Amino acid sequence: MTVTATKFTPKVMLSAPRRSPGVPNASGTLALYTVSTYSFDDHRKTFQIRVLRIQSGLSEVLVHDAKSSEPVWLSEDEFLHLKSWDDGTTSIMVRRALSPNDPGYEVASIKAPISNVKVKKLPNGTIAFACSALATPDGHLYNSETAKKPYSSAKVYTSLFVRHWDTWTTKNRNSIFFGVLEQHDGKYSLRNGALTNALAGTDLSSPVEPFGGTGDFDIGPAGLVFVAKNPELDPAIYTKTDLYFIPLETFTESKVPSPQLIETPGLEGYSNSPVFSHCGRKVAFTRMRSKQYESDKPRLLLIPDITDLSQSVQEFYATKDGEGGWDARPESIIWSHDDSKLYVTAERWARTLLWQLPSDPAKTAAANLPTPLKTPDGSVTSFHLLHRNSQVLFVTTTSLVDNSCYSLVNPTATPPSFSILSSNSRQGKTLGLSRDSVSSITFPGAGGEYDVHALVVTPSNFDRSKKYPLCMLIHGGPQGAWLDAWSTRWNPAVFAEQGYVVVCPNPTGSTGYGMALQNGIRGQWGGRPYEDLVCCLEYVLKEMEFVDGERAVALGASYGGYMINWIQGHPLGRRFKALVCHDGVFSTLNQWCSEELFFPIHDFEGTIYDNREAYEKWDPAKFVNEWVTPQLIIHSELDYRLPITEGLAPFNILQAKKIPSKLLMFPDENHWVLKPENSLVWHREVLGWINKYAGVGDEQELADQVDGLRVE
């Protein structure tokens, strides 16, 4: 049975199965992945662990259980996964991929929630197991279900953070736990049935909250490497995270050695993505230079021998001026099987691409910069070498029309090539989408001094002879970008299928176009980016004859929400029929209500008490006398990055001024609207609002919209 969309609606998007990246086994014959699906009929989510047979492209279900997660290979056929229970405990399970009906068996029961599993086969035949979990101040696993409940809800703080992202901080911290899996009579068991806290007795916490995961640590035959915040610096004011090494030979050590700090002179910012080489001695990772800039350029670094830290860390594409010869932001890293090459991802012109380079920094220079490998349309989200004797990569991508694609990428072919193994939506076809709807434009930015790039998405029934209202989407960050990648929160195709030409500009501040454009936003929040958006609108109206400029709307979230509020008070606001602000900044003077204070300190060039003028210069609240355009405000109670008062204040002003306005509030969401039922309401309200003012149907028509699905 195939479910096909007759029209790409919010419900179609939110109901579409979501696949995780695929991970091949050692021989490259099978790939594990997960699929989650939400049903608006049953109002619940289902979850499957599946296996893809790489040669045929066929797949089958291995586990159908919403409480199972995180499958990882143990051998050619066996895989491990986690199963959570209502009392907060976690079972470590083992099953066989070639036996779909195999019930599996429990390796161990851990008396707390665990996640972010990694395994590594050791020279003695055992398997090192590592994961993350919350730990109490005395280093023990923390289980909220069994922990003693306090009689008072009071919280007392004497240092930052007091809260972060969507939670108030407690004394419990993320930690890395490890153990050894060994086989007896053909079955695995966890030695001693317990895990060891690698960070017990230290002030260190890893993975780094709130988004740290498996990319924050790695295990190898020499031990464990991980990144952690510098405990001597205030985490709300400084971004510095250091890389540490814990030497372990058997992963059964009764006394865990103290973490050893990896020195990187001249680089003091975020460290990330540490990865052991196959030989187990080298480690590649990234690090930023500034300790107060969360979006600084990551530098690609190499530890030549993790067992001899007297050797200096080496930087790839290093230059004498310290800027680096490769003007890119490397992120994920893997090693080739012979350790002679590195494969890394980095953004370039609205795509996340895959790059190949020598693993020896001495062989890299500005005169010999890497070129991206040929991959399917869209952006790379994950990649693995197919098998031990191959240079072919198993790559997972998404795009603006396809929510999951698995392919094989051959960097040695002439010319380099790829072949698609499996597309979750048949390259968008089952969702009613087509690659023909995606294009891009480039136009002169502020003052004509540089070019600005924008993605364009048109309706699937697009006719150049007709006129379509414009929908301009403004991205957040501000150091971010609209990518040719899938999203269920801000998906341009959802807007396009309502009957808009959707333009997604990447103005000053955007990533993927070089550090000069990205860094140009510092001290310019309402300056160059605003002018770039004016240039974008003028270019669209002049060059795209099928766009109806009299029916234009604009929407933005986070920094994009700031820009919506800024636009309201400036001439550009009068050129849109309606505006939508999701979790935006109302007043820059309130930026110190946020949790990560290093963000305003960097972007506004100092603290509010040392440089108040910089905050006042770009304050949207200064221009509320000019507000006239109908506006929808969306904000959530759990958004601690931009507290809900930043949504209530502009709504109150709009209402007091009798400007058509509406407030949509979610008490149980953070900076993002993640729950499917809430997301469906979000889309209905947003689309209903802009459609009303752009003359595209009406709110009731949208609310009554059919599912847009047919079963074949």
Side-chain angles (χ1 to χ4, degrees):
M1 183 177 70
T2 302
V3 178
T4 304
T6 57
K7 181 179 180 181
F8 187 62
T9 65
K11 185 173 283 189
V12 168
M13 176 186 68
L14 296 171
S15 301
R18 305 186 188 190
R19 297 197 307 192
S20 71
V23 181
N25 62 1
S27 64
T29 57
L30 305 172
L32 283 172
Y33 65 99
T34 64
V35 179
S36 64
T37 307
Y38 188 82
S39 168
F40 286 99
D41 295 327
D42 300 331
H43 304 287
R44 66 185 183 91
K45 182 181 291 186
T46 59
F47 185 88
Q48 297 176 344
I49 298 175
R50 301 182 68 97
V51 64
L52 175 74
R53 296 178 183 269
I54 292 176
Q55 186 172 5
S56 67
L58 300 176
S59 70
E60 49 197 329
V61 178
L62 300 177
V63 181
H64 196 301
D65 179 6
K67 294 186 176 182
S68 294
S69 63
E70 299 200 38
V72 294
W73 289 109
L74 293 176
S75 65
E76 288 297 295
D77 178 25
E78 296 166 300
F79 69 96
L80 172 154
H81 71 88
L82 303 180
K83 181 178 175 65
S84 60
W85 299 94
D86 292 341
D87 64 356
T89 62
T90 306
S91 291
I92 302 174
M93 305 292 298
V94 168
R95 298 177 187 259
R96 291 189 176 274
L98 292 175
S99 303
N101 297 320
D102 175 25
Y105 60 92
E106 185 181 77
V107 171
S109 177
I110 308 301
K111 304 305 180 183
I114 63 173
S115 59
N116 298 314
V117 171
K118 280 192 171 183
V119 296
K120 176 70 175 181
K121 191 169 184 178
L122 300 176
N124 63 9
T126 62
I127 295 177
F129 174 95
C131 65
S132 68
L134 275 180
T136 60
D138 59 4
H140 294 112
L141 284 164
Y142 175 75
N143 185 341
S144 62
E145 298 297 325
T146 58
K148 184 178 179 180
K149 303 299 187 289
Y151 292 106
S152 169
S153 61
K155 300 179 187 298
V156 179
Y157 297 92
T158 57
S159 63
L160 299 171
F161 294 118
V162 298
R163 61 183 190 175
H164 197 193
W165 190 249
D166 58 6
T167 57
W168 289 83
T169 57
T170 70
K171 294 181 179 180
N172 304 314
R173 295 288 183 267
N174 280 348
S175 196
I176 300 169
F177 289 79
F178 68 86
V180 163
L181 302 178
E182 50 191 3
Q183 274 190 313
H184 298 287
D185 300 324
K187 287 190 174 183
Y188 288 96
S189 62
L190 178 66
R191 185 176 294 181
N192 299 324
L195 297 171
T196 299
N197 186 348
L199 308 185
T202 73
D203 293 328
L204 302 175
S205 175
S206 184
V208 179
E209 295 174 326
F211 304 121
T214 55
D216 280 7
F217 67 95
D218 198 22
I219 50 178
L224 171 72
V225 288
F226 65 94
V227 299
K229 284 270 191 179
N230 186 320
E232 297 179 359
L233 296 178
D234 195 316
I237 294 178
Y238 296 97
T239 60
K240 185 179 182 182
T241 61
D242 293 307
L243 182 65
Y244 296 87
F245 169 58
I246 298 177
L248 298 169
E249 293 184 6
T250 64
F251 285 77
T252 60
E253 283 80 355
S254 57
K255 183 178 180 181
V256 180
S258 298
Q260 301 176 22
L261 175 67
I262 308 299
E263 299 285 354
T264 58
L267 302 176
E268 298 183 302
Y270 274 126
S271 299
N272 212 346
S273 304
V275 182
F276 275 102
S277 62
H278 292 282
C279 73
R281 294 191 308 276
K282 302 176 182 179
V283 174
F285 67 108
T286 66
R287 185 157 202 184
M288 298 178 183
R289 180 166 57 185
S290 172
K291 61 182 178 182
Q292 279 192 312
Y293 184 17
E294 65 175 350
S295 299
D296 198 6
K297 174 183 172 181
R299 316 304 174 96
L300 189 60
L301 303 174
L302 175 72
I303 302 172
D305 188 345
I306 194 69
T307 64
D308 181 9
L309 295 183
S310 64
Q311 299 184 48
S312 299
V313 171
Q314 301 170 15
E315 181 177 346
F316 291 80
Y317 303 105
T319 55
K320 291 182 178 180
D321 62 5
E323 295 300 320
W326 188 25
D327 196 14
R329 298 170 48 86
E331 297 171 349
S332 301
I333 308 166
I334 66 170
W335 293 77
S336 64
H337 285 303
D338 63 0
D339 290 338
S340 66
K341 303 180 187 69
L342 294 180
Y343 300 98
V344 303
T345 53
E347 284 182 32
R348 181 182 183 184
W349 283 75
R351 293 182 66 194
T352 300
L353 299 176
L354 184 58
W355 311 72
Q356 175 184 284
L357 57 144
S359 63
D360 181 356
K363 296 180 180 179
T364 62
N368 187 28
L369 296 178
T371 55
L373 302 179
K374 189 173 179 60
T375 54
D377 290 326
S379 294
V380 175
T381 60
S382 175
F383 53 105
H384 302 268
L385 284 162
L386 186 60
H387 59 79
R388 299 184 187 93
N389 301 314
S390 171
Q391 296 187 57
V392 175
L393 296 123
F394 185 101
V395 176
T396 302
T397 56
T398 74
S399 74
L400 285 168
V401 300
D402 192 0
N403 61 0
S404 173
C405 178
Y406 302 150
S407 64
L408 297 181
V409 174
N410 188 350
T412 62
T414 306
S417 63
F418 66 85
S419 59
I420 293 177
L421 294 173
S422 170
S423 167
N424 200 32
S425 64
R426 286 190 262 169
Q427 286 83 61
K429 182 179 179 181
T430 62
L431 299 175
L433 302 176
S434 167
R435 193 68 200 172
D436 295 338
S437 296
V438 180
S439 61
S440 65
I441 56 175
T442 304
F443 53 91
E449 298 176 2
Y450 49 88
D451 287 338
V452 176
H453 179 247
L455 292 168
V456 178
V457 182
T458 54
S460 56
N461 60 354
F462 178 65
D463 182 346
R464 293 185 69 91
S465 66
K466 296 181 179 180
K467 288 273 192 178
Y468 298 86
L470 170 67
C471 175
M472 180 183 287
L473 301 182
I474 305 171
H475 70 68
Q479 292 86 3
W482 291 116
L483 297 178
D484 188 352
W486 189 259
S487 173
T488 54
R489 289 185 288 114
W490 286 87
N491 190 311
V494 163
F495 297 91
E497 289 304 280
Q498 294 293 308
Y500 295 91
V501 169
V502 183
V503 176
C504 307
N506 284 329
T508 296
S510 299
T511 56
Y513 301 90
M515 294 305 296
L517 186 75
Q518 177 187 315
N519 293 339
I521 197 171
R522 190 181 190 201
Q524 282 284 320
W525 262 40
R528 279 177 51 183
Y530 173 82
E531 295 300 328
D532 290 344
L533 296 177
V534 173
C535 293
C536 178
L537 180 62
E538 292 176 348
Y539 178 90
V540 167
L541 298 183
K542 178 181 178 182
E543 302 294 334
M544 301 168 73
E545 68 282 355
F546 45 82
V547 170
D548 183 355
E550 297 301 314
R551 294 193 293 151
V553 296
L555 307 86
S558 195
Y559 171 80
Y562 160 88
M563 184 52 71
I564 291 295
N565 289 334
W566 182 260
I567 284 172
Q568 259 285 24
H570 291 80
L572 185 57
R574 256 56 76 215
R575 302 179 72 173
F576 294 108
K577 289 293 185 182
L579 301 171
V580 176
C581 172
H582 173 105
D583 288 8
V585 176
F586 169 64
S587 174
T588 49
L589 297 179
N590 295 338
Q591 278 288 279
W592 277 60
C593 293
S594 185
E595 7 86 291
E596 294 184 342
L597 299 177
F598 50 74
F599 177 75
I601 289 173
H602 175 271
D603 276 24
F604 294 101
E605 301 178 292
T607 65
I608 194 169
Y609 42 86
D610 288 330
N611 193 15
R612 184 181 179 90
E613 295 79 8
Y615 290 77
E616 292 178 336
K617 182 176 183 180
W618 305 116
D619 186 3
K622 285 176 59 178
F623 304 94
V624 293
N625 286 343
E626 305 299 322
W627 286 25
V628 295
T629 305
Q631 182 166 332
L632 169 64
I633 302 285
I634 307 167
H635 228 98
S636 298
E637 287 275 15
L638 298 182
D639 185 357
Y640 299 157
R641 178 146 299 183
L642 289 167
I644 194 169
T645 50
E646 291 296 277
L648 292 174
F651 176 69
N652 291 346
I653 287 173
L654 290 162
Q655 286 284 300
K657 294 189 70 176
K658 308 300 181 184
I659 299 170
S661 50
K662 183 184 285 191
L663 173 68
L664 173 61
M665 190 279 289
F666 296 99
D668 55 348
E669 299 283 5
N670 54 37
H671 201 52
W672 304 325
V673 176
L674 300 176
K675 298 179 180 180
E677 300 284 354
N678 286 345
S679 184
L680 187 60
V681 172
W682 186 98
H683 281 88
R684 284 176 172 166
E685 290 294 334
V686 168
L687 296 177
W689 182 260
I690 62 175
N691 289 356
K692 173 183 177 180
Y693 289 97
V696 180
D698 56 38
E699 289 182 275
Q700 186 59 45
E701 181 179 327
L702 179 68
D704 295 339
Q705 191 176 76
V706 297
D707 290 351
L709 294 171
R710 69 169 180 266
V711 178
E712 298 175 342

